[in-house]
């Protein structure tokens, strides 16, 4: 519809992510499948972008493009001014599946990025029992896992593991944070609690966040900007600014403007799904 | 309560084994089976105990041969397993070869080793090695291949190299598979050693059994069998204990649930 809308607001200075006419195809030449069609997108540093849309429309694909896990079939992806792939900037990532390593304690799990990402990795040995340990402890405290550092992953509930997962994604204070349905498997209350925690962490560290979610309230609560996608082939059809004051609270979600927004998003996605049905 | 259940379980399994031997003993007595056909367990154990000084060097020989073959097999198995597990190309090339090689009965290989190295310890070591490699390779490769894709994505997004992914996630994840395969591999290596000894060697339990059956000393042949079984169990237990020590995290879940 209006991809221009997605490109327009970018004033050149602060863009951290830029997709230019990106296409992604899966499969061999003959039965190649276009997962993402001519997508252009610019995201400013420090923004919180949520992506919503019907299942299979290419949300995770965009995340993987930006994280450098996937190369575009056409077009270019710039991250922090460089074409992605050559050098990474230590992107934090968290999925619905928390994937804590069972042979490590929660603290060691959360510390893992410090072992890999510069400038931490070069002094990892020296600091792992002092500076880094305190840092992990402080972050665990913030997400409500204070005192659980020595526990093993199997001793924690799903909600607690997801908190630890957030910590692991944020411990190295990444410039970019990619979240793929991180709260999808949690109950309503835990989820809402984690929204507030994530919002606080974002206000603290100010990473640029890409959040993929199926929960429109979640998108509206957390994001500054919501991208609505349509499927087959995936493309961004709508780019909404969300201006509710921060910090937002759960009460915000019951205000009229908020429900109007989620309602509007809902009808957009339903329309996208309908179109898809007509096509096939 | 739970502990007594565990003890009860152990008692029942010991009773079962004991009654099996008792039944064997009784059957031999009732049907008056000649010791030349099937000796009674009591006769076998007596022979084993009486002959132990004479058997001991052979037992040691078999053990040492097994451990050397197993040690070499383990190193090669791990290297192959990592290669196969990490690289698609290596997987495609190595897998058919491995399957083909493992389906060759090892009896068929012994004469070739004897041809190359003469009879004695070397072919026994090589047979032990070749028998035990396959499960190690398969398990190490499987362990590496089962790394969650999400975990790999998380690390790659952080900028981790393939080597870092392997070191931090792949190899530790593989440990339980590796140790599970060691338990099996060590018994297989044992089988390989004895196999080679029965064909071409002048020391080892396999040789003893060959000579015993050639001279119709059936109780001694069975004493050899018992010694083999006991050694096999011993090796298995040792590696099971090592596994528990190192990979406790893989089983800890259940332990906690039960505690
Ligand atoms: N590795 C792959 N090989 C082939 N097709 C793929 C691959 N990854 C994704 N696809 C296809 O690309 C399309 C977009 O996938 P993607 O995972 O980005 O969807 P999504 O929007 O994240 O969906 P969901 O909301 O269900 O997670 C889907 O139709 C999917 O089948
Ligand atoms: Mg997805």
């Amino acid at each position: 519809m209006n991809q221009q809308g997605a490109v327009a607001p970018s004033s050149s200075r602060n863009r951290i992510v830029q997709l230019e006419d990106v296409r992604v195809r899966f499969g061999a030449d003959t039965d190649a499948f276009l997962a993402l069609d001519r997508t252009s997108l610019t995201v400013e540093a420090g923004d919180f972008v949520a992506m919503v849309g019907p299942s299979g429309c290419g949300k995770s694909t965009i995340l993987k493009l930006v994280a450098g896990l996937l190369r575009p079939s056409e077009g270019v992806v710039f991250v922090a001014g460089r074409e992605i792939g050559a050098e990474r900037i230590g992107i934090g990532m968290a999925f619905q599946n928390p994937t804590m390593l069972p042979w490590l304690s929660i603290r060691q799990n959360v510390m893992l990025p410090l072992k890999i990402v510069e400038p931490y990795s070069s002094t990892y040995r020296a600091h792992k029992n002092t500076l880094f340990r305190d840092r992990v402890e402080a972050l665990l405290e913030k997400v409500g896992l204070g005192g659980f550092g020595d526990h093993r992953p199997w001793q924690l509930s799903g909600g607690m593991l997801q908190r630890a997962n957030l910590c692991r994604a944020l411990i190295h204070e990444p410039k970019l944070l990619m979240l793929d349905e991180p709260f999808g498997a949690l109950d309503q209350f835990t989820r809402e609690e984690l929204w507030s925690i994530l919002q606080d962490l974002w206000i603290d560290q100010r990473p640029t966040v890409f959040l993929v979610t199926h929960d429109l309230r979640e998108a509206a609560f957390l994001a500054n900007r919501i991208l609505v996608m349509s499927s087959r082939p995936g493309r961004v059809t709508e780019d909404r600014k969300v201006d509710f004051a921060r910090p937002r609270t759960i009460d915000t979600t019951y205000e009229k403007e908020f429900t109007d927004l989620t309602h509007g998003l809902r009808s957009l996605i339903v329309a996208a799904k309908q179109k898809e049905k007509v096509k096939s | 309560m739970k502990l007594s259940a565990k003890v009860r379980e152990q008692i029942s399994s010991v009773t079962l084994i004991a009654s099996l031997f008792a039944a064997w003993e009784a059957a031999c007595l009732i049907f008056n089976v000649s010791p030349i056909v099937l000796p009674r367990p009591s006769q076998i154990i007596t022979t084993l105990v009486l002959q132990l000084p004479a058997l001991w060097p052979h037992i040691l020989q078999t053990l040492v041969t097994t451990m050397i073959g197993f040690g070499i097999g383990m190193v090669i198995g791990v290297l192959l397993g990592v290669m196969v597990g990490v690289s698609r190309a290596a997987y495609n090339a190595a897998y058919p070869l491995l399957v083909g090689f493992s389906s060759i009965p090892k009896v068929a290989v012994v004469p070739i080793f004897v041809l190359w190295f003469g009879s004695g310890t070397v072919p026994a070591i090589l047979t032990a090695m070749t028998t035990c490699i396959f499960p190690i390779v398969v398990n190490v490769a499987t362990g590496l291949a089962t790394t969650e894709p999400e975990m790999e994505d998380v690390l790659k997004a952080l900028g981790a190299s393939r080597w870092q992914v392997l070191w931090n996630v792949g190899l530790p994840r593989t440990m339980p598979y590796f140790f599970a395969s060691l338990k099996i591999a060590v018994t297989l290596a044992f089988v390989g050693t004895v196999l080679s000894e029965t064909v071409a060697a002048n020391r080892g339990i396999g040789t003893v059994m060959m000579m015993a059956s050639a001279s119709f000393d059936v109780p001694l042949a069975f004493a050899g069998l018992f010694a083999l079984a006991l050694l096999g169990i011993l090796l298995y237990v040792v590696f099971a204990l090592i596994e528990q020590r190192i990979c406790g995290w893989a089983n800890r879940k259940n332990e906690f649930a039960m505690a």
Side-chain angles (χ1 to χ4, degrees):
Chain A
M1 221 159 70
N2 62 341
Q3 280 185 339
Q4 264 65 38
V7 185
S10 67
S11 51
S12 57
R13 332 168 296 284
N14 255 335
R15 57 181 69 162
I16 182 161
V17 172
Q18 197 170 355
L19 276 66
E20 281 176 9
D21 279 340
V22 169
R23 273 194 166 122
V24 175
R25 270 187 214 92
F26 288 113
D29 295 331
T30 45
D31 55 358
F33 161 71
L34 192 60
L36 198 64
D37 192 21
R38 295 212 34 190
T39 299
S40 295
L41 178 68
T42 311
V43 174
E44 308 266 319
D47 225 355
F48 199 128
V49 182
M51 289 191 282
V52 297
S55 184
C57 65
K59 303 182 293 291
S60 300
T61 303
I62 291 188
L63 279 202
K64 286 189 177 156
L65 277 172
V66 176
L69 303 171
L70 193 72
R71 294 301 187 87
S73 313
E74 284 171 36
V76 249
V77 178
F78 290 104
V79 172
R82 286 166 200 270
E83 201 173 337
I84 192 71
E87 190 189 328
R88 304 251 169 73
I89 55 170
I91 296 170
M93 210 163 186
F95 295 90
Q96 181 172 337
N97 175 1
T99 59
M100 291 286 126
L101 304 175
W103 56 92
L104 299 178
S105 67
I106 292 298
R107 181 184 304 111
Q108 290 166 321
N109 265 292
V110 173
M111 227 185 258
L112 195 60
L114 302 181
K115 209 167 164 181
I116 287 160
V117 180
E118 286 296 347
Y120 309 100
S121 57
S122 42
T123 57
Y124 180 77
R125 268 170 197 287
H127 292 323
K128 69 175 173 187
N129 290 322
T130 53
L131 206 64
F132 291 172
R133 191 192 156 101
D134 296 343
R135 192 181 167 125
V136 172
E137 256 354 289
L139 190 56
L140 286 175
E141 191 80 45
K142 270 189 207 162
V143 302
L145 280 184
F148 282 94
D150 286 317
H151 281 58
R152 295 286 165 143
W154 65 79
Q155 296 171 293
L156 269 56
S157 71
M160 292 160 96
L161 286 175
Q162 205 48 263
R163 287 166 206 253
N165 195 12
L166 266 188
C167 290
R168 186 178 63 194
L170 281 166
I171 188 66
H172 59 294
E173 304 204 342
K175 285 209 196 92
L176 261 175
L177 176 63
M178 310 305 238
L179 303 172
D180 199 341
E181 301 180 35
F183 313 131
L186 303 179
D187 67 277
Q188 187 71 28
F189 289 106
T190 312
R191 200 184 301 173
E192 288 177 355
E193 199 187 336
L194 281 170
W195 293 351
S196 299
I197 288 172
L198 178 57
Q199 175 177 244
D200 291 345
L201 290 170
W202 176 74
I203 290 172
D204 263 14
Q205 299 190 3
R206 258 325 177 92
T208 310
V209 184
F210 279 74
L211 169 73
V212 170
T213 177
H214 285 286
D215 184 343
L216 300 176
R217 286 179 70 228
E218 180 171 304
F221 181 91
L222 284 166
N224 288 345
R225 189 174 162 195
I226 300 178
L227 305 177
V228 183
M229 295 184 65
S230 73
S231 54
R232 306 199 173 257
R235 37 169 64 232
V236 179
T237 54
E238 183 79 22
D239 189 344
R240 286 277 177 95
K241 279 234 166 303
V242 187
D243 296 321
F244 307 118
R246 305 259 186 192
R248 300 168 188 168
T249 62
I250 297 303
D251 290 336
T252 316
T253 67
Y254 294 104
E255 283 165 17
K256 182 164 185 316
E257 280 171 81
F258 190 94
T259 45
D260 283 351
L261 175 63
T262 52
H263 206 173
L265 291 171
R266 202 187 119 74
S267 32
L268 281 171
I269 293 171
V270 170
K273 275 193 182 157
Q274 227 112 50
K275 228 183 269 173
E276 186 185 333
K277 265 191 211 134
V278 172
K279 258 190 276 175
S280 59
Chain B
M1 285 305 277
K2 294 287 175 193
L3 197 80
S4 81
K6 201 177 169 191
V7 170
R8 225 179 302 146
E9 202 176 273
Q10 277 173 350
I11 290 174
S12 71
S13 65
V14 168
T15 335
L16 188 66
I17 293 169
S19 50
L20 250 163
F21 281 106
W24 175 355
E25 185 89 28
C28 286
L29 286 173
I30 291 168
F31 299 110
N32 200 14
V33 181
S34 154
I36 295 196
V37 179
L38 180 66
R40 283 179 276 126
S42 57
Q43 289 173 318
I44 297 170
I45 290 167
T46 321
T47 315
L48 187 59
V49 172
L50 288 179
Q51 301 271 32
L52 197 59
L55 276 175
W56 188 243
H58 294 285
I59 292 177
L60 267 187
Q61 173 71 43
T62 302
L63 251 181
V64 168
T65 309
T66 303
M67 290 323 287
I68 294 174
F70 170 68
I72 300 171
M74 190 171 76
V75 173
I76 297 177
V78 168
L79 290 179
L80 275 178
V82 170
M83 260 166 57
V84 172
V86 167
S87 133
R88 187 94 242 159
Y91 180 92
N92 290 336
Y95 229 79
L97 282 179
L98 277 167
V99 173
F101 184 71
S102 76
S103 34
I104 299 172
K106 294 304 168 299
V107 199
V109 188
V110 179
I112 298 174
F113 287 149
V114 174
L115 196 72
W116 287 345
F117 302 102
S119 69
T121 312
V122 180
I125 290 176
L126 289 177
T127 317
M129 182 193 90
T130 47
T131 346
C132 76
I133 282 183
F134 189 64
I136 301 180
V137 176
V138 171
N139 274 37
V140 169
T142 311
L144 287 175
T146 51
T147 301
E148 291 126 322
E150 287 104 337
M151 192 63 223
E152 222 173 304
D153 281 353
V154 166
L155 288 177
K156 280 190 190 150
L158 287 170
S161 62
R162 280 180 72 152
W163 168 245
Q164 280 175 314
V165 175
L166 186 69
W167 182 251
N168 287 298
V169 182
L171 289 181
R173 159 142 290 129
T174 303
M175 281 299 132
Y177 293 87
F178 171 61
F179 280 99
S181 78
L182 286 194
K183 285 185 300 192
I184 298 165
V186 78
T187 41
L188 284 180
F190 196 53
V191 171
T193 306
V194 176
L195 186 76
S196 178
E197 282 171 355
T198 52
V199 177
N202 35 31
R203 253 148 72 94
I205 305 178
T207 317
V208 172
M209 287 178 56
M210 274 315 278
M211 295 194 304
S213 59
S215 58
F216 292 101
D217 189 348
V218 182
L220 182 59
F222 270 87
L225 273 187
F226 266 44
L228 286 178
L230 288 176
L231 278 182
I233 292 173
L234 183 78
L235 289 176
Y236 185 93
V237 167
V238 166
F239 281 92
L241 286 179
I242 297 177
E243 177 188 8
Q244 246 174 36
R245 250 296 161 79
I246 297 182
C247 306
W249 58 266
N251 302 314
R252 201 59 61 77
K253 225 176 215 162
N254 306 327
E255 243 172 67
F256 261 85
M258 285 195 289

